Amino acid sequence: MNTTIYYFSGAGNSLMVAKDLSEQLKDSKIVQISKKNMSVINDTQSDKIGFVFPVYNFGIPVMVKNFIENLKMSKDTYVFDIATCGGMVGSSHNQIEKILNKKGIKLAASFTVFMPGCDQLLFETASEEEQNKLFKDEKEQIYTIASAIKDNQHIKNKANPIMSSVYNLLYAATFKPKAMGKNFWTDEKCIGCGICSKVCPANNIVIQAGKPKWAQQCESCLACMQWCPQKSIQYKKSTVKRGRYHHPDIEVNELIQND
Ligand SMILES: Cc1cc2nc3c(=O)[nH]c(=O)nc-3n(C[C@H](O)[C@H](O)[C@H](O)COP(=O)(O)O)c2cc1C
């Protein structure tokens, strides 16, 4: 039984989950969802397919939605999703199920894994103690998730229809990633190293005259901000006094897409 796990990740949490799960499932591979591989459109070979992604504003990243919409899968494939989030999964599983149902495919199982939040636009970074507790819980949970997937279990973790509608409204009203690019700026610590541009899964950052410039295709993952070695990337004024976060066991190179 071979499994393909497609993941989208900014700060590395979802990549960590994808890697840990792949290790447990054995005959499996992980594939990044990014601008450079949106052309993966046919996966009728995998017996099982999983999508691992962060929750943004109670819903799913736009690129994950587009990727799944484009992906050709067999109707009898066992499909699961894993949402990583800081505490509120919202209607993420409902949104994934809706996309799949439109393609005539069933969502067999959905799981939520709590990880350190990385939304410094609104919140402070979790303390090291909180992070370590979440990392420990994640390892244990992946073990349980892997055995559920191996056993072809059907597990529903959806929000009820009323709450799902509320979350969908909040998502539609607050999640405007494409408009975010114009609000990023760099302070005097920027050395123009270009790492922000390399880790951006949306290919939305170019280095011009030694400084990053954001276009209009932001996905809101904040990878640029989290992985900046100088911690020089800011969003409006909200991030100036806040810490940064990326998963400590993920290397920056793992998020850089190859041409
Ligand atoms: C713009 C933004 C919005 C977010 N919205 C939510 C949310 O609605 N609910 C939640 O629990 N976590 C939210 N988070 C936290 C992420 O879902 C969480 O940290 C996730 O594990 C990050 O995954 P990654 O490291 O793979 O990018 C948000 C993070 C960002 C950057």
Side-chain angles (χ1 to χ4, degrees):
M1 281 279 157
N2 71 86
T3 307
T4 304
I5 303 166
Y6 296 98
Y7 72 91
F8 179 87
S9 189
N13 288 344
S14 307
L15 172 54
M16 193 74 243
V17 165
K19 283 175 68 176
D20 286 342
L21 181 64
S22 179
E23 206 178 300
Q24 295 278 335
L25 292 177
K26 306 284 187 266
D27 187 11
S28 69
K29 63 173 180 184
I30 64 168
V31 178
Q32 186 183 24
I33 298 175
S34 70
K35 197 72 178 186
K36 289 188 183 157
N37 73 2
M38 292 301 280
S39 57
V40 179
I41 47 163
N42 194 332
D43 188 351
T44 44
Q45 288 82 42
S46 301
D47 299 310
K48 298 184 183 182
I49 290 178
F51 302 103
V52 185
F53 55 86
V55 174
Y56 294 151
N57 298 35
F58 312 106
I60 65 173
V62 176
M63 209 178 262
V64 170
K65 175 179 181 282
N66 294 340
F67 184 86
I68 302 176
E69 279 173 351
N70 290 338
L71 189 68
K72 207 185 238 180
M73 295 170 264
S74 299
K75 300 255 185 283
D76 54 356
T77 309
Y78 175 95
V79 180
F80 62 92
D81 82 61
I82 306 181
T84 76
C85 69
M88 292 279 280
V89 70
S91 61
S92 303
H93 301 307
N94 306 61
Q95 292 182 5
I96 296 282
E97 184 171 59
K98 193 172 167 195
I99 300 166
L100 291 171
N101 285 352
K102 270 196 190 156
K103 296 162 75 80
I105 291 172
K106 290 205 169 72
L107 178 63
S110 44
F111 308 92
T112 303
V113 177
F114 296 122
M115 293 293 264
C118 62
D119 185 4
Q120 288 95 351
L121 313 187
L122 293 176
F123 306 105
E124 186 44 276
T125 311
S127 69
E128 216 176 297
E129 196 185 346
E130 288 165 325
Q131 289 183 25
N132 288 337
K133 159 109 184 52
L134 289 162
F135 296 148
K136 188 171 168 283
D137 291 349
E138 181 258 343
K139 301 286 176 217
E140 286 165 14
Q141 199 185 347
I142 294 302
Y143 188 78
T144 315
I145 291 174
S147 42
I149 293 168
K150 280 182 207 161
D151 292 347
N152 293 326
Q153 283 183 24
H154 286 249
I155 297 173
K156 296 282 171 210
N157 267 314
K158 284 189 305 179
N160 73 48
I162 296 172
M163 285 314 293
S164 175
S165 308
V166 174
Y167 291 132
N168 280 336
L169 284 173
L170 287 169
Y171 177 78
T174 63
F175 192 51
K176 313 274 182 206
K178 303 276 181 270
M180 289 174 68
K182 61 181 183 301
N183 298 318
F184 288 101
W185 53 283
T186 49
D187 62 27
E188 70 293 341
K189 297 193 293 302
C190 176
I191 52 168
C193 67
I195 286 182
C196 51
S197 162
K198 291 181 187 154
V199 294
C200 175
N203 221 5
N204 190 46
I205 305 171
V206 287
I207 305 297
Q208 273 180 8
K211 300 285 171 207
K213 204 170 176 298
W214 286 261
Q216 309 305 315
Q217 299 303 315
C218 182
E219 287 282 323
S220 99
C221 72
L222 304 185
C224 52
M225 205 180 86
Q226 313 293 8
W227 293 95
C228 170
Q230 298 296 109
K231 298 187 171 56
S232 80
I233 296 177
Q234 308 292 351
Y235 186 86
K236 293 186 177 169
K237 285 184 185 161
S238 55
T239 57
V240 174
K241 293 204 170 116
R242 292 190 176 133
R244 299 294 185 263
Y245 167 81
H246 58 74
H247 197 292
D249 297 334
I250 296 293
E251 300 282 334
V252 66
N253 288 342
E254 296 180 82
L255 285 165
I256 293 176
Q257 311 144 56
N258 300 314
D259 283 312

